[in-house]
């Protein structure tokens, strides 16, 4: 057991720190923040992603031949830490970088890797994930969106829903039914769809936070060249499972942990200033206990990730344990934002724009956003099923 | 960076697990017949592990014992065993050469018994303790009383946390037979060991009886932190065991023509228990590492995170395990009550969850230079 970084790791960290110091906008995090307008915000994040790429800091985990650094898991952990420390913006192409690229690296043809990976890492092409449908959410294998072979194309018809970032995306990974007569897991194919193809309509959906990050996406006779099939025809389910394994992995969780810890630090600082009766909120022993619970739980989230990393470093396969991680952090974080609302007390109802809103309403926004944690990337109930059946071996 | 154990550490865990599976059955536990256990464990080297090589030990650390303590919890090894290891570790670290030479070889062989005496009727926290040593001639006299001292009657030396004057605390080595020391066996929730109330009535203490030769609060806090971390590790093992018992049972028991484990309400409880146990491991293993490697502030933070989390979550898994067994879960026969009872004792010992959480937030606010 060893929690120190090697000299190479420290050199890597210092190089990244140096780069961040010169490349983040002047006053970043103090006087300069992310734009408030959603579209401007997205473009800002895309510009940042391209800047990262130019500096050699995008897709660091990718193999060198595709423009990455072949970063070790430890370097990925350091990267996540440093980005959080600098409060650096998150690139826009999360799905492209983390999910599509990893899936293509595992299952894509050489031609697909050569065509798509360079433009993902450079931030030229943003991706979205067309998996969920109105009648296929948790039961993802029930997808009905159809792809019918017609010469050198598949013709896609159907609807996807909850498609995050579709409005900013050039490409989409799509799960489509290619054999309606086969058992449901065996008739699905994994397609790469150009979002400029005629027949695609995107309709934004407003979320409980008021934002519109996700969309309904309609496909009417959308023609997809056959070379955009990943893996085998009707073999898409297995490929989608790879995508999901990375969506729930510790790389993702560690970065989140650091951001959550910063939210909590901000909450502590706020609680030390907020007057509640004849004391500050932080002096209230009940609130202190709740805040301390969140502190402990968030620190354990980090330790969970480091344990998972260490197992991976020794070659342990990625398994259902990722579900434990996700189930853990999603609830811990929802609890923390519940506590945040309690800390704000009488001011809790005041949102961004009100003169008395605490810290510009950031906790209200985060509280609302946190409701998604236990739904996306597999809901908590689905994670519990996975843990019970695949980790604990309970009967189906 | 490696938050995992070595091959050797896992092998040692296997050895201990096998030994305990044979040496410590439910029968043994119910009948309190665990005397041979000390010898059997001594042969594996667990008592000599923390002792420096110069004193005939292995010179290893709490990290090397983390999985062992987890196994102790899983098998419900009676509390005096881990307590003795903690006391020995503190003596190895802070004892004078004479104290180490006198106590550690016998301790390492499992013949000389050490037992820490910390808790008082009013507190389990060092800074609030009232048992006091007052200057008398060239030495001191000790008055006060300690409760829940693990098998004080079988101990050769007690390691007693005392107040020396207003500001300083210290650890005194006192044999339970010394004049002025009185023992009373207590009725305790935990059924796997004896515990005593130990009363000190003007007991004479020489400088050579004080760990390190003079009072030093750092020794008391280090002992407290080690004991709290070991409680967390043992509770992790208890949590893991109660999860296993529940999963095994619901995987065999049928009602409504189905295995109970196929009902989603049951599965989901088991999944939540598994997540809780996994997080116990993260917290408790880190605390073990911090005992060996971290500066006192970080050590305190790590220990307090683990003690509060593991206490809450061992209680949670044990409660769930009893519930998932139905009527048989409530019986004396099944044995889950032994875990329920022991966990409650561990929870209350060496700072309860609320106290440890307060320590975490206090340290965090101070490190952020926030007051309150
Ligand atoms: C913010 C956000 C972003 C998203 N982004 C994307 C995206 O980019 N691309 C994409 O494809 N999808 C996306 N999703 C969709 C997400 O993956 C689904 O919402 C999720 O899988 C749940 O499916 P559902 O909404 O159909 O709910 P349902 O499956 O209908 O579930 C409803 C409720 O029933 C429970 N339930 C369902 N099945 C079971 C069962 N077997 N046992 C017990 N309980 C059960 C669920 O846990 C849930 O509580 C996003 C969702 C959110 C909230």
């Amino acid at each position: 057991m060893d929690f120190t970084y090697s000299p190479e790791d420290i050199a890597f960290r210092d190089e990244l720190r140096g780069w961040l110091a010169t490349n983040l906008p002047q006053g970043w995090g103090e006087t300069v923040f992310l734009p408030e307008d959603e579209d401007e915000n997205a473009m800002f994040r895309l510009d940042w992603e391209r800047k990262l790429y130019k500096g050699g800091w995008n897709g660091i985990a990718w193999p060198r031949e595709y423009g990455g650094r072949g970063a070790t898991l430890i370097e990925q952990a350091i990267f996540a830490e440093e980005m959080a420390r600098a409060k650096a913006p998150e690139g826009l192409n999360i799905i492209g970088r983390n999910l599509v690229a990893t899936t293509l690296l595992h299952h894509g043809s050489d031609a697909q890797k050569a065509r798509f990976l360079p433009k993902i890492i450079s931030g030229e092409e943003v991706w979205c994930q067309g998996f969920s449908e109105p009648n296929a959410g948790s039961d993802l294998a029930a997808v009905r969106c159809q792809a019918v072979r017609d010469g050198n194309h598949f013709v896609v018809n159907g609807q996807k829903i909850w498609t995050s970032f579709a409005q900013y995306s050039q490409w989409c990974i799509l799960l489509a039914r290619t054999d309606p007569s086969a058992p449901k897991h065996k008739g699905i194919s994994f397609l790469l769809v150009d979002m400029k193809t005629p027949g695609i309509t995107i309709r934004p959906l407003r979320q409980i936070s008021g934002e519109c990050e996700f969309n309904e996406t309609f496909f009417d006779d959308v023609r997809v060249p056959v070379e955009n099939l990943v893996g085998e025809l009707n073999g898409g389910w297995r490929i989608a499972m790879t995508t999901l394994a990375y969506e729930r992995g510790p790389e993702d969780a560690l970065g989140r942990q650091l951001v959550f810890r910063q939210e909590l630090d901000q909450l502590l600082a706020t609680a030390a200033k907020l007057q509640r009766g004849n004391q500050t909120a932080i002096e209230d022993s009940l609130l202190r206990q709740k805040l301390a619970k969140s502190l402990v739980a968030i620190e354990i989230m980090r330790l969970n990730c480091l344990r998972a990393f260490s197992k991976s470093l020794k070659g342990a396969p990625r398994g259902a344990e990722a579900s434990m991680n996700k189930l853990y952090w999603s609830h811990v974080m929802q609890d923390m934002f519940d506590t945040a609302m309690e800390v704000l007390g009488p001011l809790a109802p005041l949102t961004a724009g009100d003169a008395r809103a605490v810290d510009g309403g950031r906790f209200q926004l985060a509280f609302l956003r946190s409701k998604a944690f236990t739904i996306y990337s597999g809901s908590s109930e689905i994670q519990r099923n996975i843990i019970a059946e695949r980790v604990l071996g309970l009967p189906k | 960076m490696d938050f995992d154990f070595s091959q050797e550490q896992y092998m040692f865990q296997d050895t201990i697990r096998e030994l305990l599976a044979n040496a410590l059955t439910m029968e043994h536990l119910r009948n309190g017949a665990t005397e041979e256990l000390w010898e059997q464990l001594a042969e594996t080297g667990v008592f000599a592990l923390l002792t420096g090589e110069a004193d005939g030990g292995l010179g290893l650390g709490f990290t090397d014992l983390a999985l062992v303590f987890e196994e102790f919890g899983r098998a419900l090894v009676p509390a005096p065993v881990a307590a003795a290891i903690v006391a020995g570790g503190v003596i190895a670290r802070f004892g004078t050469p004479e104290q180490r030479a006198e106590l550690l070889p016998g301790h390492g062989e499992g013949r000389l018994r050490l037992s820490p005496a910390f808790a008082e009727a009013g507190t389990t926290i060092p800074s609030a303790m009232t048992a006091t040593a007052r200057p008398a001639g060239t030495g001191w006299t000790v008055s006060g009383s300690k409760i829940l001292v693990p098998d004080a009657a079988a101990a050769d030396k007690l390691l007693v946390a005392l107040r020396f004057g207003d500001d300083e605390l210290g650890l005194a080595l006192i044999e339970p037979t010394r004049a002025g020391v009185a023992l009373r066996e207590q009725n305790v929730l935990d059924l796997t060991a004896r515990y005593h109330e130990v009363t000190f009535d003007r007991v004479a203490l020489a400088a050579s009886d004080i760990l390190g030769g003079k009072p030093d609060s750092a020794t008391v806090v280090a002992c407290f932190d080690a004991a709290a971390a070991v409680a967390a590790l043992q509770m992790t093992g208890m949590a893991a065991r109660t999860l296993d018992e529940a999963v095994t049972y619901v995987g065999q028991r049928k009602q409504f023509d189905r295995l109970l484990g196929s009902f989603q309400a049951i599965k989901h409880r088991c999944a939540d228990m598994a997540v809780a146990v996994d997080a116990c491991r993260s917290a408790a293993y880190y605390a073990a590492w911090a005992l060996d490697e971290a500066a006192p502030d970080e050590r305190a933070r790590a220990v307090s995170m683990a003690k509060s989390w593991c206490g809450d979550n061992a209680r949670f898994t044990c409660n769930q395990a009893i519930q998932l067994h139905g009527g048989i879960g409530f019986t004396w026969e099944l044995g889950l009550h032994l875990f329920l009872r022991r966990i409650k004792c561990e929870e209350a010992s060496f700072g309860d969850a609320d106290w440890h959480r307060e320590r975490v937030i206090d340290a965090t606010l101070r490190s952020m230079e926030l007051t309150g």
Side-chain angles (χ1 to χ4, degrees), chain A residues 2 289 304 310 385 389, chain B residues 2-3 267-268 272 282 357:
Chain A
D2 174 13
Q289 279 291 318
N304 283 342
S310 300
N385 287 347
E389 288 164 16
Chain B
D2 178 20
F3 189 12
K267 278 186 189 169
H268 284 194
D272 285 340
S282 295
R357 275 192 291 269

Side-chain angles (χ1 to χ4, degrees), chain A residues 1-6 9 74 81 261 264-266 268-270 272 280 282-283 285 287-293 295-297 299-300 302-308 310-311 313-314 321 323-325 327-328 332 380-385 387-389 391-396, chain B residues 1-6 9-10 63 66 243 246-248 250-251 258-264 266-272 274-275 277-283 285-286 288-289 293 301 304-306 308-309 312 353-355 357-358 360-362 364-365 367-368 370-372:
Chain A
M1 211 174 274
D2 174 13
F3 289 90
T4 57
Y5 289 130
S6 69
D9 292 335
I74 300 299
E81 276 173 13
R261 178 59 208 262
L264 180 55
D265 285 350
Q266 177 64 45
L268 293 173
T270 298
T280 58
I282 200 71
E283 288 166 320
S285 59
L287 290 178
R288 275 173 96 82
Q289 279 291 318
K290 291 187 182 178
L291 288 164
K293 268 189 193 167
L295 261 171
V296 171
E299 286 299 283
I300 292 176
R302 174 163 174 274
L303 296 171
N304 283 342
C305 292
L306 294 181
R307 271 177 69 226
S310 300
K311 296 258 185 245
L313 276 170
K314 293 180 185 169
E321 286 76 14
S323 292
M324 304 235 272
N325 233 324
L327 184 58
Y328 176 85
V332 158
S380 295
E381 288 70 28
I382 297 307
Q383 307 298 355
R384 290 189 180 104
N385 287 347
I387 295 164
E389 288 164 16
V391 180
L392 301 176
L394 288 172
K396 287 241 177 210
Chain B
M1 169 68 71
D2 178 20
F3 189 12
D4 195 8
F5 295 97
S6 67
Q9 288 163 335
Y10 281 122
T63 313
L243 166 65
V247 167
T248 304
V250 300
R258 283 172 64 177
L259 289 170
L260 288 180
S262 69
F263 287 105
Q264 207 178 49
I266 305 282
K267 278 186 189 169
H268 284 194
R269 279 193 189 210
C270 292
D272 285 340
V275 170
V277 170
D278 190 57
C280 281
R281 292 201 166 107
S282 295
Y285 295 167
Y286 182 66
W289 172 86
E293 305 286 345
R301 202 181 69 95
S304 287
M305 292 199 308
S308 59
W309 179 271
D312 286 350
D354 284 354
W355 184 86
R357 275 192 291 269
E358 176 56 34
V360 171
I361 193 161
D362 180 61
T364 305
L365 293 174
S367 74
M368 294 171 69
L370 296 172
T371 48

Side-chain angles (χ1 to χ4, degrees), chain A residues 176-395:
Chain A
R177 185 147 310 275
T178 37
D179 183 355
S181 60
K184 65 180 181 178
H185 293 86
K186 301 208 166 127
I188 298 170
S189 296
F190 196 105
L191 298 177
L192 309 174
V193 180
D194 183 342
M195 293 295 280
K196 288 190 304 295
T197 323
I200 299 178
T201 315
I202 298 165
R203 202 182 290 156
L205 291 168
R206 196 169 289 279
Q207 304 172 186
I208 57 181
S209 57
E211 299 159 300
C212 298
E213 196 174 83
F214 62 29
N215 305 269
E216 285 181 294
T217 317
F218 299 90
F219 297 82
D220 294 304
D221 290 333
V222 173
R223 296 183 71 81
V224 179
V226 286
E227 62 262 28
N228 289 357
L229 169 72
V230 181
E232 285 173 20
L233 186 68
N234 298 321
W237 182 251
R238 194 173 60 96
I239 299 171
M241 289 304 99
T242 305
T243 315
L244 296 185
Y246 281 88
E247 196 169 3
R248 294 167 194 166
E251 308 82 347
D252 170 76
L254 189 63
R256 285 174 191 274
Q257 189 274 341
L258 292 153
V259 173
F260 291 148
R261 178 59 208 262
Q262 286 174 346
E263 291 280 327
L264 180 55
D265 285 350
Q266 177 64 45
L267 180 60
L268 293 173
T270 298
K273 280 185 281 182
L274 272 184
Q275 202 62 30
R276 184 71 56 76
N278 52 11
Q279 58 186 10
T280 58
I282 200 71
E283 288 166 320
D284 179 307
S285 59
L286 285 176
L287 290 178
R288 275 173 96 82
Q289 279 291 318
K290 291 187 182 178
L291 288 164
K293 268 189 193 167
S294 287
L295 261 171
V296 171
I298 291 179
E299 286 299 283
I300 292 176
M301 175 177 172
R302 174 163 174 274
L303 296 171
N304 283 342
C305 292
L306 294 181
R307 271 177 69 226
F309 267 124
S310 300
K311 296 258 185 245
S312 298
L313 276 170
K314 293 180 185 169
R318 207 166 260 275
E321 286 76 14
S323 292
M324 304 235 272
N325 233 324
K326 200 247 157 182
L327 184 58
Y328 176 85
W329 73 251
S330 55
H331 288 272
V332 158
M333 292 318 308
Q334 280 184 347
D335 290 348
M336 183 190 103
F337 289 115
D338 280 343
T339 296
M341 290 295 102
E342 276 184 63
V343 167
L344 302 191
L347 300 176
L350 301 175
T351 55
D354 187 275
R356 283 191 186 274
V358 179
D359 292 338
R362 63 185 287 163
F363 293 115
Q364 285 79 2
L365 185 59
F367 161 76
L368 293 169
R369 283 181 178 166
S370 75
K371 299 302 156 199
F373 299 165
T374 48
I375 300 172
Y376 63 47
S377 308
S379 73
S380 295
E381 288 70 28
I382 297 307
Q383 307 298 355
R384 290 189 180 104
N385 287 347
I386 293 173
I387 295 164
E389 288 164 16
R390 294 197 228 144
V391 180
L392 301 176
L394 288 172

Side-chain angles (χ1 to χ4, degrees), chain B residues 218-276:
Chain B
T219 63
V220 182
V221 178
C223 187
F224 174 86
D225 279 344
V230 169
L233 287 160
Q234 293 194 93
M235 287 192 287
T236 297
M238 295 175 210
R241 171 76 176 274
T242 52
L243 166 65
D244 287 356
E245 296 288 335
V247 167
T248 304
Y249 186 71
V250 300
Q252 290 165 351
R253 164 91 173 158
K254 274 193 175 165
Q255 289 288 281
F256 304 97
D257 300 321
R258 283 172 64 177
L259 289 170
L260 288 180
S262 69
F263 287 105
Q264 207 178 49
I266 305 282
K267 278 186 189 169
H268 284 194
R269 279 193 189 210
C270 292
D272 285 340
M273 292 161 76
V275 170

